[in-house]
Amino acid sequence: KMLKFETENDIDYKKKEFVYYKEVNGEALKIGTFIVTDVSDSDTFESVNVTAYDYGLKFANPYTTSLDYSSGSITLFQVIQEICTNCGVELENASLPNGTFIVDSNQFVNGEQYGDVVAQASGINGMFATTNSNDKLEFIFTNETDEIIEDYVELDDKRDTQPITSVLVAPSEELATAGAVMKDKTLINQYGEHWLKIYDSYFANSTTKCQQLISAIFNQVKGFGYSSFKSEYSFLPYLSLGDKIKFKNKEGKLVNSVILRYETNYDEMILEAPSII
């Protein structure tokens, strides 16, 4: 998350951390701890422009490791644990769906950052990676909420996506036939074949590894569907990726969806669930 704001030029913000709260309906909600990366003069000497990022910034450094991948005993969860230790960020999760998968070689040798490894790990677990309001790295998929999105300026109510019924994990699109496939026949009979296809994962780089990883991903995402939408100016800063919500469509009906993308500044927010992700 990034913050940009203008403030009085009476505090030395450079290289400082601060906890950011946002008032919503009279309640102060913690958004997280932010690290200042830039301070520049505004149009007047009395104020400055400040840019800051949350603890996700700590993962923006080149990946280094002391793990002995050649031992044949390093798990994916251990990879993530070491990253959190190296970056000085706590890990929220006690386990991951594919956390016991053995990582037998370091594929991140071309200048990739810690965040790149985290992103690859989240995808191969069928999850999102986020920095939560407690400044911890958290892997999530969906989270049940009672939130109803109705206080918006604009709403683009698009269409319902079909539930995922089939999953393919392959080393690359060119080697799709060398990948692993799982299908839910009951869901296919009900909805038809609708695919999640994962290619070019750093971890699923062989047929054997695809076969080892697919089951946990399939169990995460099978039956997952939602109504595609884009809501502008519903300021709910406590919502996060994966949060299940309802919104009132143009006919006033409640529709189920999930937060898959969001943008926010100090006063405005865009929540979105694209139809293709």
Side-chain angles (χ1 to χ4, degrees):
K1 304 181 187 72
M2 179 183 71
L3 285 176
K4 281 189 174 183
F5 58 93
E6 183 175 331
T7 187
E8 293 181 4
N9 190 14
D10 59 356
I11 299 175
D12 181 12
Y13 275 97
K14 294 180 180 179
K15 298 182 180 179
K16 294 290 180 66
E17 294 188 10
F18 61 92
V19 180
Y20 176 57
Y21 292 84
K22 177 65 180 177
E23 183 179 342
V24 180
N25 297 326
E27 180 181 1
L29 299 175
K30 181 184 175 184
I31 307 302
T33 302
F34 284 75
I35 305 166
V36 175
T37 59
D38 184 70
V39 180
S40 60
D41 292 332
S42 68
D43 295 335
T44 67
F45 291 108
E46 288 78 22
S47 61
V48 291
N49 295 313
V50 178
T51 302
Y53 291 84
D54 73 356
Y55 271 19
L57 182 68
K58 295 193 173 188
F59 297 96
N61 290 297
Y63 176 67
T64 60
T65 179
S66 59
L67 296 173
D68 182 9
Y69 283 99
S70 63
S71 68
S73 61
I74 302 301
T75 66
L76 182 56
F77 193 72
Q78 287 175 307
V79 173
I80 297 301
Q81 286 179 311
E82 185 198 42
I83 287 174
C84 287
T85 298
N86 290 352
C87 295
V89 179
E90 291 185 58
L91 178 61
E92 185 73 55
N93 307 73
S95 63
L96 293 172
N98 270 320
T100 59
F101 171 76
I102 298 298
V103 184
D104 58 11
S105 62
N106 178 14
Q107 299 292 313
F108 303 91
V109 294
N110 296 307
E112 292 90 351
Q113 297 185 341
Y114 288 111
D116 297 320
V117 186
V118 169
Q120 288 284 326
S122 64
I124 212 63
N125 279 283
M127 306 177 83
F128 306 107
T130 186
T131 306
N132 63 26
S133 61
N134 293 318
D135 307 317
K136 297 181 181 181
L137 174 64
E138 183 175 7
F139 292 87
I140 59 174
F141 180 45
T142 57
N143 175 48
E144 295 288 348
T145 76
D146 296 321
E147 199 66 53
I148 298 176
I149 309 298
E150 53 184 338
D151 182 21
Y152 47 76
V153 174
E154 296 183 28
L155 174 68
D156 186 1
D157 178 11
K158 299 178 181 179
R159 65 179 182 87
D160 290 341
T161 66
Q162 295 296 326
I164 294 171
T165 61
S166 307
V167 173
L168 165 68
V169 181
S172 68
E173 192 166 359
E174 292 74 24
L175 297 174
T177 56
V181 172
M182 291 190 73
K183 300 181 179 182
D184 188 305
K185 293 182 179 179
T186 301
L187 289 175
I188 290 173
N189 289 337
Q190 186 174 358
Y191 299 107
E193 282 193 9
H194 303 286
W195 288 84
L196 168 67
K197 297 181 180 181
I198 298 176
Y199 301 118
D200 301 313
S201 167
Y202 282 58
F203 297 107
N205 53 16
S206 71
T207 299
T208 299
K209 292 177 181 178
C210 292
Q211 292 169 341
Q212 293 171 348
L213 289 161
I214 191 172
S215 181
I217 300 170
F218 180 72
N219 290 333
Q220 279 276 77
V221 304
K222 66 179 180 180
F224 176 64
Y226 58 93
S227 184
S228 178
F229 80 102
K230 183 176 181 179
S231 168
E232 296 190 21
Y233 309 153
S234 296
F235 198 85
L236 302 167
Y238 46 84
L239 291 178
S240 185
L241 293 177
D243 279 352
K244 289 184 176 181
I245 54 92
K246 297 179 185 293
F247 66 86
K248 284 190 176 180
N249 65 13
K250 297 168 185 176
E251 288 75 39
K253 297 179 181 178
L254 286 179
V255 180
N256 293 313
S257 195
V258 62
I259 305 300
L260 296 177
R261 184 182 296 162
Y262 64 86
E263 297 178 32
T264 181
N265 60 24
Y266 189 79
D267 293 311
E268 299 173 350
M269 190 168 198
I270 296 175
L271 303 175
E272 188 173 5
S275 57
I276 298 176
I277 56 172

